[in-house]
Amino acid sequence: MTLDPRRGAPSPGLPPRAIAGPAHARRMPQAAGRPAAPARPSRILCLDVETVPDAELVPEDFPKDRFPKPAWHRVVAISFAEARIEVGADGSERYILECCRSGGEADWSEERLLRGFWRHFAEGDFRLVSWNGRAFDLPVLLLRAFLYGIPTGAYFLRGDRWAGYANRYAPDYHSDVMELLSSYGAATRMGLDEMAVAMGLPGKAGEHGSNVEAMVSEGRIERVRDYCETDVLNTLALYCRWSLLCGRSDVDGHDASLSGMVEYLSAEREARPHLGAFLDRWHGSARPAPMMLKGGSSIRTAGDAREAVIEVRP
């Protein structure tokens, strides 16, 4: 697909200060009751969902080796990380992780999970970050909301004709990291585990989405929620590196973003062991890719698990 340059669509690779002109700031007319939106999202909402096939909708003759269509997926977990976007004087960004959690409680119904998510989404001014979210996570969340009659107006009404959540080429609203790293499909798409491990992240550590149905049937929904949260953390770290690559962030911002992730995971280790395990695997990676970039440094957790210490590589 070739973009018409006359429409002023922002290039995915340009830093945000290059797309903050009058065309980007224009908004659709505001009708009564429609959600208002800032000119530029101020927070990251990095999300991932886990699903199982909806037995009531998947046809009996549907091939078992084929992936069900988006509307045929029942949502069992919605996990997300929220980070504050800090913008420097030169327009470069850094992302301060404030929470990583799963929506609702383990025993919530799908409808309750969806209502809670879309209400939370409408109340914030988020930049969505996902891995393959444009092709899977968001279609599932939207179509399942459609089935229950849950309003999702903020997703469709924020932004303008050039930029918004539903616009594929508007990474200021939705950055699908898989699409960004493949130049929107021009190159071969990588899997989340493949790209995370290549960067030295823990990746899925032996888990896989194909195991979710069995875990749910065995009553291990908390393990599903934990697994979903680690997918979110992999995605957020990859997004921090992407932001450096494309000029949206700089080296200082990149290192501050990942350092904040390390501090958050260290602080949560005792209460939420799966986050501590994620951090340990990250520190223990044998990949030469550094966690921190300035001075070739990496961060490790010492003595007190809540203390982040800089260790400079020789």
Side-chain angles (χ1 to χ4, degrees):
M1 176 180 180
T2 301
L3 292 179
D4 183 348
R6 295 171 298 177
R7 299 183 62 187
S11 166
L14 291 178
R17 55 187 177 276
I19 60 172
H24 179 65
R26 287 197 292 268
R27 292 288 172 267
M28 295 173 62
Q30 185 76 21
R34 286 188 174 184
R40 175 176 174 174
S42 66
R43 298 178 66 78
I44 294 289
L45 186 69
C46 183
L47 64 86
D48 184 62
V49 304
E50 297 302 331
T51 67
V52 297
D54 188 333
E56 296 181 356
L57 294 181
V58 179
E60 292 184 3
D61 59 350
F62 189 76
K64 299 299 182 184
D65 59 345
R66 288 183 58 190
F67 196 63
K69 298 179 180 181
W72 297 348
H73 286 261
R74 180 169 63 86
V75 176
V76 295
I78 306 174
S79 299
F80 53 88
E82 285 191 42
R84 185 174 70 256
I85 302 174
E86 292 188 350
V87 183
D90 62 350
S92 63
E93 297 182 349
R94 62 184 60 190
Y95 314 110
I96 309 304
L97 178 62
E98 295 181 340
C99 76
C100 177
R101 63 185 180 89
S102 296
E105 302 295 339
D107 61 351
W108 279 23
S109 68
E110 179 190 36
E111 180 179 1
R112 192 174 180 185
L113 285 174
L114 290 168
R115 288 191 183 279
F117 170 78
W118 285 113
R119 181 171 58 251
H120 183 65
F121 180 80
E123 291 171 351
D125 54 312
F126 297 117
R127 175 186 301 158
L128 291 175
V129 173
S130 68
W131 187 273
N132 197 33
R134 191 168 294 283
F136 180 70
D137 302 74
L138 267 300
V140 168
L141 289 170
L142 290 165
L143 290 175
R144 297 301 289 193
F146 179 92
L147 298 183
Y148 288 107
I150 299 171
T152 62
Y155 179 86
F156 293 98
L157 299 176
R158 288 179 177 168
D160 55 29
R161 63 179 297 187
W162 294 279
Y165 296 112
N167 186 318
R168 185 181 185 187
Y169 302 101
D172 219 28
Y173 282 86
H174 184 180
S175 288
D176 183 331
V177 185
M178 188 186 78
E179 284 229 296
L180 294 173
L181 291 177
S182 68
S183 296
Y184 295 93
T188 302
R189 292 180 172 89
M190 299 284 287
L192 175 59
D193 188 57
E194 294 170 329
M195 203 66 222
V197 170
M199 184 177 150
L201 290 159
K204 291 180 177 287
E207 296 283 11
H208 195 274
S210 60
N211 301 329
V212 169
E213 186 176 5
M215 286 191 283
V216 170
S217 66
E218 295 165 3
R220 295 186 290 164
I221 188 62
E222 289 290 2
R223 181 172 174 181
V224 172
R225 287 158 64 90
D226 291 352
Y227 159 64
C228 196
E229 289 171 14
T230 58
D231 269 3
V232 166
L233 292 168
N234 281 304
T235 302
L236 182 60
L238 289 170
Y239 178 73
C240 292
R241 186 63 57 87
W242 161 258
S243 292
L244 172 70
L245 182 73
C246 73
R248 187 179 285 276
S249 186
D250 57 18
V251 171
D252 287 335
H254 168 276
D255 285 4
S257 299
L258 293 192
S259 177
M261 286 185 65
V262 170
E263 292 173 4
Y264 176 84
L265 294 171
S266 297
E268 293 288 310
R269 168 190 297 277
E270 185 175 342
R272 304 165 70 192
H274 66 288
L275 299 186
F278 181 95
L279 181 58
D280 290 342
R281 290 195 300 270
W282 195 359
H283 288 148
S285 171
R287 290 285 301 152
M291 182 189 290
M292 302 293 136
L293 301 176
K294 201 163 188 177
S297 62
S298 63
I299 289 187
R300 61 182 173 83
T301 303
D304 181 354
R306 298 179 183 275
E307 179 183 5
V309 179
I310 299 290
E311 175 186 40
V312 180
R313 294 179 179 176

